[in-house]
């Protein structure tokens, strides 16, 4: 699960960000989907940028994050958001320490990663300007205008040994 919230005294925003689904005996995992969350939909970047003080700098499939195997795990998502005003940001995310496991010899999916890049050194946030820092899986930080939060969600685990796939595709 990948939860993001940000806001100040006048507004609040909350979203869940998908990831890669695990593969199974007869299927590859789906990329960039909600695996165990129902009835959710992420806000379109155009709407988000119009209603909140943010610019979505990147919203893409995190290529290569799914685990290898006879059936490949789905790839996660990379979402980078630049803040245009000071706000409080919280992340509540999983699979940042332990990778999503592959099954029956399949490779693990990539772990997720949440980073914050401060606009400048003297922004009051205590960060080095331009340096991307890992903020961990569960954290609350105050960001300044120009700071960029990047959330890289985990990929799904692969299924079966990779040699099986090579034989099937010949």
């Amino acid at each position: 699960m990948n939860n993001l919230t940000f806001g100040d005294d006048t507004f609040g925003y909350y979203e869940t960000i998908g990831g890669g689904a695990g593969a199974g005996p007869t299927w590859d995992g789906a990329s960039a989907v909600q695996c165990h969350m129902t009835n959710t939909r992420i806000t379109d970047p155009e709407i988000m940028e119009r209603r909140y003080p943010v610019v979505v700098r990147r919203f893409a499939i995190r290529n290569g994050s799914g685990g290898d195997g006879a059936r490949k795990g789905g790839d996660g998502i990379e979402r980078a958001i630049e803040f245009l005003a000071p706000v409080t940001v919280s992340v509540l995310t999983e699979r940042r320490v332990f990778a999503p496991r592959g099954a029956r010899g399949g490779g693990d999916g990539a772990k997720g990663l949440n980073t914050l890049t401060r606009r400048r050194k003297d922004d009051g946030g205590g960060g080095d300007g331009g340096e991307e820092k890992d903020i961990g899986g569960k954290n609350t930080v105050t960001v300044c205008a120009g700071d960029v939060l990047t959330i890289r969600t985990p990929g799904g685990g692969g299924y079966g040994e990779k040699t099986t796939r090579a034989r099937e595709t010949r």
Side-chain angles (χ1 to χ4, degrees):
M1 190 152 53
N2 305 284
N3 298 282
L4 166 67
T5 185
F6 61 84
D8 61 18
D9 290 340
T10 64
F11 77 93
Y13 177 81
Y14 171 79
E15 71 180 12
T16 61
I17 305 170
T26 59
W27 67 88
D28 290 331
S31 295
V33 296
Q34 290 290 4
C35 297
H36 300 291
M37 208 54 172
T38 59
N39 199 26
T40 63
R41 182 172 183 262
I42 200 162
T43 303
D44 295 329
E46 299 83 2
I47 301 299
M48 190 173 169
E49 291 174 346
R50 184 169 177 92
R51 293 183 181 170
Y52 303 100
V54 299
V55 174
V56 178
R57 293 290 177 202
R58 183 164 173 78
F59 186 31
I61 292 176
R62 188 180 171 205
N63 289 319
S65 59
D68 273 337
R71 298 292 179 187
K72 187 180 176 323
D75 290 327
I77 292 173
E78 182 173 335
R79 189 158 169 95
I81 300 169
E82 179 180 349
F83 296 93
L84 304 178
V87 295
T88 300
V89 175
S90 294
V91 291
L92 177 62
T93 58
E94 294 294 335
R95 296 295 180 188
R96 274 29 183 197
V97 176
F98 300 104
R101 299 294 307 265
R104 306 261 179 179
D108 292 349
K111 293 185 286 187
L113 178 66
N114 305 322
T115 61
L116 181 63
T117 304
R118 297 285 186 182
R119 179 174 59 104
R120 63 179 196 270
K121 197 171 200 164
D122 61 338
D123 63 7
D128 295 329
E131 184 179 340
E132 188 176 39
K133 292 199 171 196
D134 183 350
I135 63 167
K138 296 165 183 62
N139 201 349
T140 298
V141 296
T142 300
V143 298
C144 299
D147 292 350
V148 177
L149 173 71
T150 303
I151 296 178
R152 295 172 183 93
T153 67
Y159 185 94
E161 294 183 25
K162 192 172 182 176
T163 56
T164 309
R165 183 179 204 111
R167 278 186 250 131
E168 287 178 359
T169 58
R170 286 188 205 163

